[in-house]
Amino acid sequence: MFEKLFMLVKNNAGMAVIDNPAIPVKYHEAVINEASSSIIEVLKGQMETGKIKDLIRFFQFSGIYNKSLVASIINRFASKLNNFYGIAPDKALVAANSLITPVMLELVKESKNEQNKDFGLSNFLAKLNGNQSDFSGLVNRMMVA
């Protein structure tokens, strides 16, 4: 599942990373990894702080609910670009926003696709939690509500 997330990020990395003159070619792969890990870290953080229902709502109502979650991922990724790769804060924020926003939109779309088991919300949440819990009951209850 995490490999599929990396590929999702990589497939959206065109203008934000690959064609971005602020990001040297030698860092492209690492930066894509940083974007993927930023998504995972923030989503895991939501789970670890007891905000699982908020996370499910994000995937259920992404267009209108919890834009702060995406902003949090963008800020974490921009901070990594600045701190680890020396990219100016303003350019890091533009790159992060132009990559994370479409990736999260596509991730939400994929989580709703019945055919895509890797990004099915119950499975995705279980993987984020290290397969310690089955979230299918909670997800099903909340998606119906």
Side-chain angles (χ1 to χ4, degrees), residues 46-47 49-61 65-66 69 121 125 135 138-139 141-143:
Q46 288 283 299
M47 294 179 77
T49 57
K51 296 179 182 173
I52 184 73
K53 288 182 180 180
D54 290 341
L55 191 54
I56 293 170
R57 282 187 194 105
F58 169 77
F59 280 92
Q60 188 178 14
F61 305 112
Y65 186 80
N66 204 354
L69 181 69
L121 190 53
L125 295 175
F135 293 99
L138 178 62
V139 169
R141 277 193 311 275
M142 290 190 69
M143 292 304 246

Side-chain angles (χ1 to χ4, degrees), residues 64-133:
I64 57 172
Y65 186 80
N66 204 354
K67 293 185 192 267
S68 66
L69 181 69
V70 175
S72 194
I73 298 167
I74 289 168
N75 289 332
R76 179 172 296 225
F77 180 46
S79 178
K80 288 179 178 185
L81 289 175
N82 177 249
N83 292 329
F84 302 138
Y85 301 97
I87 298 167
D90 59 330
K91 291 182 188 222
L93 195 57
V94 168
N97 188 42
S98 64
L99 178 57
I100 298 300
T101 301
V103 167
M104 291 306 292
L105 288 172
E106 196 166 331
L107 185 59
V108 167
K109 181 178 154 192
E110 291 294 326
S111 75
K112 293 178 181 180
N113 181 351
E114 300 283 327
Q115 305 302 316
N116 192 341
K117 299 297 180 203
D118 289 315
F119 289 127
L121 190 53
S122 299
N123 186 37
F124 187 70
L125 295 175
K127 295 284 188 204
L128 283 173
N129 194 36
N131 289 322
Q132 295 178 18
S133 301

